Amino acid sequence: MLIERTWKKWVYFYIPLTVFVVGTLFPFYWMLITAIRPDAELYRSWRAATNTPFWTLQPTLEHFRDLMAKTTFPQWLWNTFFIAVASTAISLFCGLLAGYALARLRFPMAGTLGTSIFVTYLVPPTLLFIPLANIIRTFQLGDTPWALILTYPTFLIPFCTWLLMGYFKTIPRELEECARIDGATRFGAMLRIVFPIAVPGILSAGIFAFTLSWNEFIYALVFLSSPEKKTVPVGVVSELIRGDIYFWGQLMAGALLGSIPVALVYSFFVEYYVTGLTGSVKG
Amino acid sequence: MNKPIAGGAGSAARLEVVLPHPRATEPRRLTRFLENERALAALLLAPTVLVLGTFIAYPFIMGVWLALSSTSVGNVGEFVGMRNFAKAWNDSIFRTAFGNTFVYTFWATIFKLTLGMWLALLLNRHFRGKRIVRASMLLPFIVPTVLSTFAWRWMFDPTFSVLNWLLYRADLITTKLPFLSDGTYGMWCAIVVNTWRGMPFFAITLLAGLQTINPDLHEAASLDGANGWRRFWYVTWPLLKPVTLVVVVFSVIQTFSDFQLIYVLTGGGPANSTHLLATYAYQVGVATGLLGEGAAISLFMLPVLFVVVWLQLRYLRRMDGA
Amino acid sequence: MRRREFLTTTGLAASVAATGLESIVAARRAPAFAQGTRLNILRWVDFVPACDVELRRQASEASKALGAEVVFEFINANDLQPRITAAIQSGAGPDIIMMLHNWPHLYANGLVDVTELGEWQGKEQGAYYAQSEAAAKDGARWLALPHGIVGLQFAYRKSWLEEVGQTTWPRTLDELRQVGMKLKKKGKPMGQTLGHTFGDAPAWSYPLVWAFGGMEVDRTGKKVVLDAPATLESVKFMQAFWKDACDEGGFAWDDTSNNRAFLAGEIAATLNGASIYIAAKRGQEKIKDEKGEPMVKDIQHGPIPNGPAGTHGYHVAFSHAVMRYGKNVKLAKDFLTWLHGKQQFAKWFEVAEGFSVGSTKYWEQHPMWERVDPPMKIYRQAAAASRMIGYAGPPSARATEAYTKYIIVDMYAKACQGTKAEDAVKWAAGELSKIYG
């Protein structure tokens, strides 16, 4: 429709976009270059003439090898994945049902309940930390993945419920009513009409929940102790930080490998994620 | 928003054909029970209430009790009323942390919003490699915060900083910049990292919002002679406002109670100048073992968050009504 | 289906029974503990990686000797305290936890009385250093069993000091500052952390208070006496020293930063454990100086130079605490007896090559000291000349609280960042009064 002149397109579009891309991705480039840089180069003085911070002439996979050989990194990766999937599943299940109830059903205290579920999202984790440790002990969950699978939903459920509630509101009631006139039960209509339509919303809540669990650090640090049960962030931080060996290479290798699974999940679902979020917020 | 509904209507149409028959096999009583809205609501809400009740309500009450007691690690405390709150309020480090939390939240949110909006507008256009650029923009949001913050710490390293090297080579500086070794610099570095991490979330969500805006509106506006900025201000922005507010609410909650980033980047140092409420609460309560005082500091966050969120939600509802 | 299920369950039952039998057989060999008993020990990630390897090896040996599975967990030292707090509050966690500094006093109510063991070790291995006792003994009660002491000395580059005309390590703090000034002008400053980190920052700050005659509290441990001319002098010295001689990035350093900076040839001297020297020695092919020679040949150690009131180091005491919530207290004690006994400790001690010295004087006589390189010999008797944080009061949880809040460290950090020396001292004294008051 509008024909832009070339220089204008450069100034308003290509240059800013390039700056964004470089700014966003530079830390990743930096992780990568640190991870494949040999130790001897990593600790060169910053003023040394031979310092080539942006590339390396002798790339090495040594750090990746060390990471695999000297730590239980693959195990951490699996633990994190398992914990993230399980806690996401629980949160989605709860959030889906609660979100539907709050969006569609009329019952006393609906408003209060909705608000209080949202308010739980505001409670700072630093406050819950010690009391939660008590609960973990009471249920004998210490040093098991369940300690995290059951505590992560505390910050995931409010989010999922809220997001899905918004999403359900955007789905026209008429669809359900049609189904019920045709003889479907309320429950059946929810299950077979509303939920399938809400798939983008469910996916986007799921992805977000998955990311948050993948990220979590403080509960994982405190509730797990056996080296082979740790999650990626905790394992990498607690086993690769020491005084005098050159850990930066392995640390960055761990950071890169630790983000690949989530990156894959996103690249598959990014479009759903986008539609799901819009759905919920328009409601 | 048209897309999912359209798709949904299609699948609903397909489903209608299959629907009638399972009814016959379902036990009558259960069906009737589930037809009752209240009963169904109770059933659907039960898992959530159970999980949140056990893992939030109870710990929360315990946490409040801690804040009102003199409990320290290994010692059962006694009730001391508001003493922990008073002590925190008179503590100079607490006040720094309190102020820092506001500065941090305010600027990080502003940056995330403006940059995220800008990026969303750029990504909303058609260009080659659009998909891959969109997907890669999400990367900062994906890497575990602790690990990406370590990468930033490595870039800000007082001795080996690549940023210093760059500025030095470009003859912009003669001595290293004290990225993390000065309180003010440290705070801004933390804001930069937080912005880097949170901006993609803004951008993608706003992009989602932008895509629901009918392009005809823009065309009409440009026919009326509106330039780019005016088109944004009078057409795009009003339609994006609800989405924006929701993202801002989430972002404020997360940023205000942020812990990991500062914990890794500066540990609250130098000389407590970069503490946030969450990191200070952690240092007092968990590291030093003064559980009562730590809980009190954490609790200071709640009313503030509550007010901020309440204001935003009220605004949102009012707009909805309009 | 059902039948197959049944078969698998019986199969399982049979195998359970079989292991049961085995355990009975095993029980005849190692009488002590029920099968499947597991003993968890939480320690820091050692700055000498070989030490952790040795401990893991010892763990498998101990497992056989004690008839229970002994498992070590190593985490970043800065994350130890949250783990201890959560473990004590929730009453679940590792059976034995390594304590640094005088932490045992802070966690006293969560620890098992190990007086028996403390006395046994003292009898077997000679008199404890005062530092070991101060860290882990409350009156007559041993709160934890002293394991070792990490000595902290200045590591410095001989050739760089010679370049500015200094052939010996400075004797006084003023000399140190003069030398540092010349070095910093040449772009080779000294470096020290004043950040929030567990080891190097307090090990540099506390001795500086003492070198000028300052004290946190008086002998009774009840009256805060930090706000005194001596402390003020020390703060003024640090301000000048920091500006004239130090790498100002130190505010953001953690315990590992000075190691890296030193090994990369960025700084001339830093107060640290022996880990710099040991790393330089083990990585000779990788860590070179400007001339391409292994850097280790150019490293020497020296003590904190004298201030007006002499010099008193702060060497970090390490101990093992048996946690009260643990279900295997007896086993934990047995294991510590095994691990701390002369025979086993000696193996670990030799791997540490002087980074960790023993908790008693006995270990000064160990033949390892004849084998270590000359620059390492200074660590041999270092632990004897140490004071405990909270000086001059008796060891107490309050001293630990002041330490975990980094009050002394921050007093210097504030002053070096531009706060007036008087105000920094006043602030620190005020904070201490809140703790001791």
Side-chain angles (χ1 to χ4, degrees):
Chain A
M1 41 172 191
L2 296 170
I3 301 148
E4 279 175 308
R5 284 204 215 120
T6 334
W7 68 268
K8 244 186 160 177
K9 194 155 187 185
W10 276 95
V11 170
Y12 289 116
F13 183 67
Y14 287 118
I15 295 177
L17 189 69
T18 316
V19 171
F20 269 112
V21 170
V22 171
T24 312
L25 298 185
F26 180 73
F28 291 95
Y29 176 71
W30 193 239
M31 281 184 202
L32 181 70
I33 210 81
T34 308
I36 61 168
R37 193 185 285 277
D39 279 341
E41 254 181 56
L42 265 176
Y43 287 80
R44 201 164 279 168
S45 168
W46 75 298
R47 279 165 301 203
T50 49
N51 192 7
T52 53
F54 293 106
W55 60 88
T56 170
L57 295 175
Q58 296 137 320
T60 170
L61 288 177
E62 181 192 355
H63 300 304
F64 287 92
R65 253 198 313 273
D66 280 358
L67 186 69
M68 291 300 168
K70 291 187 184 158
T71 69
T72 45
F73 190 80
Q75 183 67 39
W76 297 340
L77 213 51
W78 165 248
N79 297 341
T80 321
F81 186 76
F82 174 68
I83 289 167
V85 167
S87 53
T88 303
I90 292 178
S91 313
L92 272 185
F93 176 75
C94 294
L96 199 55
L97 300 185
Y100 179 82
L102 292 172
R104 276 291 199 273
L105 303 176
R106 274 173 303 249
F107 56 96
M109 309 277 286
T112 325
L113 205 58
T115 315
S116 42
I117 287 178
F118 184 69
V119 166
T120 54
Y121 194 61
L122 305 182
V123 181
T126 38
L127 180 72
L128 300 178
F129 179 80
I130 294 296
L132 268 180
N134 259 316
I135 295 186
I136 299 294
R137 192 257 325 249
T138 315
F139 291 148
Q140 307 263 323
L141 296 172
D143 202 21
T144 66
W146 294 100
L148 302 183
I149 293 174
L150 292 174
T151 44
Y152 286 178
T154 54
F155 53 83
L156 301 179
I157 291 181
F159 173 82
C160 290
T161 307
W162 202 63
L163 201 141
L164 288 167
M165 187 173 87
Y167 202 88
F168 287 136
K169 280 187 184 158
T170 66
I171 299 172
R173 274 174 188 275
E174 293 77 39
L175 288 174
E176 260 171 289
E177 277 155 18
C178 282
R180 295 193 61 204
I181 290 164
D182 288 347
T185 60
R186 197 182 279 281
F187 193 75
M190 172 185 96
L191 220 53
R192 298 196 194 86
I193 306 289
V194 182
F195 285 3
I197 300 174
V199 164
I202 297 171
L203 268 175
S204 97
I207 292 172
F208 197 81
F210 185 81
T211 319
L212 285 181
S213 345
W214 192 268
N215 246 327
E216 209 284 330
F217 177 71
I218 194 72
Y219 291 165
L221 171 71
V222 172
F223 298 150
L224 298 179
S225 54
S226 308
E228 74 280 2
K229 287 181 186 155
K230 289 185 173 168
T231 62
V232 171
V234 174
V236 167
V237 169
S238 59
E239 300 215 11
L240 294 179
I241 293 186
R242 46 174 90 218
D244 48 4
I245 59 161
Y246 300 148
F247 65 81
W248 280 107
Q250 289 177 47
L251 198 63
M252 293 296 106
L256 275 181
L257 291 183
S259 26
I260 287 172
V262 198
L264 286 178
V265 170
Y266 267 89
S267 61
F268 281 124
F269 294 120
V270 71
E271 298 300 319
Y272 278 116
Y273 183 55
V274 169
T275 40
L277 274 176
T278 348
S280 73
V281 295
K282 293 283 279 188
Chain B
M1 230 7 271
N2 298 329
K3 228 164 53 183
I5 291 180
S11 49
R14 249 181 291 122
L15 277 163
E16 269 176 64
V17 193
V18 216
L19 266 173
H21 61 90
R23 189 168 55 124
T25 52
E26 271 166 12
R28 275 284 155 98
R29 202 174 296 163
L30 183 66
T31 318
R32 218 175 304 136
F33 177 71
L34 288 179
E35 281 309 288
N36 180 338
E37 257 179 274
R38 287 183 186 200
L40 184 63
L43 191 73
L44 296 181
L45 283 164
T48 299
V49 171
L50 187 73
V51 173
L52 293 185
T54 324
F55 291 97
I56 289 232
Y58 172 71
F60 179 70
I61 294 164
M62 285 273 295
V64 173
W65 155 248
L66 277 181
L68 298 172
S69 76
S70 61
T71 309
S72 68
V73 56
N75 307 306
V76 181
E78 50 193 46
F79 181 78
V80 294
M82 300 300 280
R83 209 169 68 194
N84 290 329
F85 293 92
K87 190 175 171 191
W89 191 246
N90 290 319
D91 173 3
S92 60
I93 308 175
F94 172 83
R95 292 196 171 184
T96 315
F98 197 72
N100 281 348
T101 310
F102 278 96
V103 170
Y104 180 72
T105 310
F106 180 77
W107 286 111
T109 308
I110 295 278
F111 287 150
K112 281 187 273 195
L113 180 60
T114 44
L115 292 176
M117 178 69 81
W118 191 2
L119 182 59
L121 289 170
L122 293 174
L123 291 179
N124 197 29
R125 301 173 59 152
H126 293 284
F127 57 94
R128 253 205 283 170
K130 185 173 74 171
R131 274 191 82 103
I132 188 151
V133 170
R134 276 186 189 178
S136 65
M137 284 295 115
L138 266 174
L139 277 173
F141 188 57
I142 293 169
V143 203
T145 318
V146 173
L147 302 181
S148 62
T149 310
F150 264 109
W152 277 97
R153 196 172 123 188
W154 185 221
M155 294 201 295
F156 288 138
D157 190 281
T159 319
F160 299 98
S161 169
V162 63
L163 302 172
N164 270 332
W165 185 88
L166 211 61
L167 296 169
Y168 183 75
R169 282 291 151 114
D171 270 337
L172 290 170
I173 53 169
T174 50
T175 52
K176 298 178 206 171
L177 292 180
F179 287 119
L180 301 178
S181 37
D182 176 273
T184 320
Y185 271 91
M187 207 63 231
W188 284 104
C189 286
I191 292 172
V192 166
V193 179
N194 185 289
T195 306
W196 173 80
R197 210 193 119 66
M199 186 192 67
F201 178 64
F202 273 76
I204 293 296
T205 316
L206 292 176
L207 175 67
L210 280 176
Q211 292 189 326
T212 63
I213 296 176
N214 191 339
D216 294 348
L217 284 173
H218 272 270
E219 196 142 359
S222 58
L223 285 178
D224 287 345
N227 64 16
W229 173 249
R230 290 171 68 93
R231 280 208 304 276
F232 172 76
W233 192 246
Y234 290 108
V235 181
T236 316
W237 175 240
L239 290 168
L240 269 188
K241 250 195 216 163
V243 191
T244 314
L245 260 169
V246 173
V247 193
V248 169
V249 172
F250 272 110
S251 169
V252 166
I253 296 172
Q254 299 236 317
T255 315
F256 199 84
S257 53
D258 200 3
F259 168 80
Q260 297 186 15
L261 202 149
I262 293 286
Y263 181 71
V264 172
L265 205 61
T266 65
N272 297 313
S273 50
T274 57
H275 262 310
L276 300 181
L277 283 178
T279 52
Y280 189 53
Y282 177 87
Q283 188 178 319
V284 171
V286 180
T288 311
L290 301 170
L291 300 168
E293 291 176 31
I297 296 170
S298 298
L299 266 182
F300 266 104
M301 278 187 262
L302 203 57
V304 179
L305 273 181
F306 200 82
V307 168
V308 172
V309 171
W310 181 72
L311 282 177
Q312 282 172 319
L313 286 181
R314 207 179 61 148
Y315 185 68
L316 199 67
R317 285 216 186 103
R318 223 181 41 208
M319 263 186 344
D320 251 11
Chain C
M1 276 301 273
R2 274 197 191 151
R3 206 175 136 171
R4 193 178 297 160
E5 255 174 47
F6 174 71
L7 284 178
T8 36
T9 15
T10 42
L12 265 176
S15 65
V16 167
T19 41
L21 274 177
E22 262 173 35
S23 70
I24 294 166
V25 176
R28 216 170 289 155
R29 272 186 277 123
F33 305 98
Q35 267 297 308
T37 309
R38 192 168 145 147
L39 189 73
N40 290 301
I41 303 117
L42 179 66
R43 281 180 58 90
W44 74 337
V45 181
D46 207 299
F47 278 23
V48 180
C51 284
D52 289 345
V53 176
E54 172 62 16
L55 280 178
R56 283 219 166 102
R57 192 196 62 74
Q58 287 184 320
S60 65
E61 225 173 86
S63 304
K64 277 181 214 131
L66 299 172
E69 196 189 356
V70 177
V71 184
F72 275 102
E73 183 197 355
F74 305 108
I75 64 168
N76 182 11
N78 277 325
D79 291 333
L80 273 175
Q81 285 195 296
R83 283 291 298 277
I84 301 173
T85 303
I88 293 177
Q89 280 317 110
S90 68
D95 299 278
I96 299 173
I97 300 183
M98 182 185 86
M99 302 267 160
L100 280 77
H101 307 285
N102 63 350
W103 291 357
H105 295 277
L106 185 62
Y107 303 116
N109 280 347
L111 311 179
V112 171
D113 184 334
V114 289
T115 307
E116 226 179 302
L117 292 182
E119 276 164 13
W120 155 79
Q121 186 170 293
K123 244 175 238 148
E124 195 200 49
Q125 299 167 22
Y128 283 108
Y129 292 115
Q131 188 75 348
S132 309
E133 294 204 1
K137 200 176 177 190
D138 184 20
R141 177 189 161 192
W142 283 98
L143 304 166
L145 186 61
H147 186 239
I149 293 178
V150 170
L152 286 107
Q153 309 282 8
F154 268 98
Y156 65 94
R157 297 285 296 274
K158 273 185 287 185
S159 64
W160 290 12
L161 261 69
E162 279 161 18
E163 275 174 39
V164 297
Q166 187 75 22
T167 50
T168 54
W169 178 244
R171 286 180 181 284
T172 65
L173 285 171
D174 267 332
E175 244 179 277
L176 181 75
R177 188 182 138 210
Q178 298 301 330
V179 176
M181 243 162 122
K182 292 179 203 157
L183 283 164
K184 191 169 180 178
K185 280 200 187 110
K186 301 189 74 173
K188 295 169 175 174
M190 300 186 171
Q192 202 59 49
T193 170
L194 279 180
H196 282 183
T197 189
F198 70 94
D200 292 342
W204 166 232
S205 315
Y206 281 91
L208 210 63
V209 179
W210 302 332
F212 284 81
M215 297 182 269
E216 285 173 83
V217 285
D218 67 0
R219 289 193 154 277
T220 62
K222 293 201 177 92
K223 196 172 160 229
V224 175
V225 294
L226 187 73
D227 192 0
T231 318
L232 187 62
E233 282 311 302
S234 82
V235 173
K236 284 183 174 158
F237 167 80
M238 179 77 102
Q239 282 177 318
F241 179 67
W242 191 262
K243 205 168 111 244
D244 296 343
C246 287
D247 183 329
E248 287 171 45
F251 291 120
W253 284 4
D254 62 15
D255 273 74
T256 70
S257 308
N258 57 342
N259 295 42
R260 290 197 302 268
F262 191 98
L263 293 171
E266 286 284 331
I267 53 174
T270 185
L271 183 77
N272 201 53
S275 49
I276 289 182
Y277 185 86
I278 294 172
K281 191 179 166 198
R282 296 202 172 157
Q284 290 191 27
E285 313 81 51
K286 287 177 186 166
I287 301 162
K288 306 278 168 89
D289 63 9
E290 312 79 58
K291 292 165 218 120
E293 295 289 311
M295 185 185 281
V296 62
K297 291 183 182 159
D298 196 30
I299 303 177
Q300 182 57 276
H301 293 117
I304 297 177
N306 282 310
T311 176
H312 310 272
Y314 178 68
H315 303 289
V316 184
F318 287 69
S319 52
H320 283 129
V322 178
M323 307 309 287
R324 177 165 281 174
Y325 56 72
K327 290 178 189 64
N328 307 309
V329 171
K330 167 87 174 59
L331 175 63
K333 285 183 173 175
D334 287 359
F335 172 70
L336 285 184
T337 318
W338 184 88
L339 187 77
H340 286 232
K342 271 182 187 172
Q343 198 196 347
Q344 297 301 331
F345 183 77
K347 292 180 191 161
W348 182 80
F349 177 72
E350 285 184 42
V351 175
E353 284 189 314
F355 176 71
S356 282
V357 303
S359 55
T360 67
K361 294 209 171 70
Y362 169 82
W363 298 98
E364 288 176 17
Q365 310 308 323
H366 193 275
M368 182 202 74
W369 292 113
E370 306 306 323
R371 292 197 299 272
V372 297
D373 301 340
M376 288 300 298
K377 293 205 194 290
I378 186 178
Y379 286 94
R380 188 169 181 167
Q381 277 140 5
S386 186
R387 277 181 181 170
M388 182 44 83
I389 53 180
Y391 186 81
S396 71
R398 294 181 161 166
T400 324
E401 193 183 323
Y403 154 82
T404 47
K405 286 184 168 169
Y406 297 105
I407 289 169
I408 301 295
V409 175
D410 283 344
M411 171 175 79
Y412 289 114
K414 270 174 181 275
C416 293
Q417 285 194 319
T419 307
K420 262 175 61 190
E422 287 81 0
D423 297 341
V425 175
K426 283 227 160 53
W427 171 83
E431 291 292 314
L432 284 185
S433 307
K434 279 189 217 159
I435 293 171
Y436 284 93

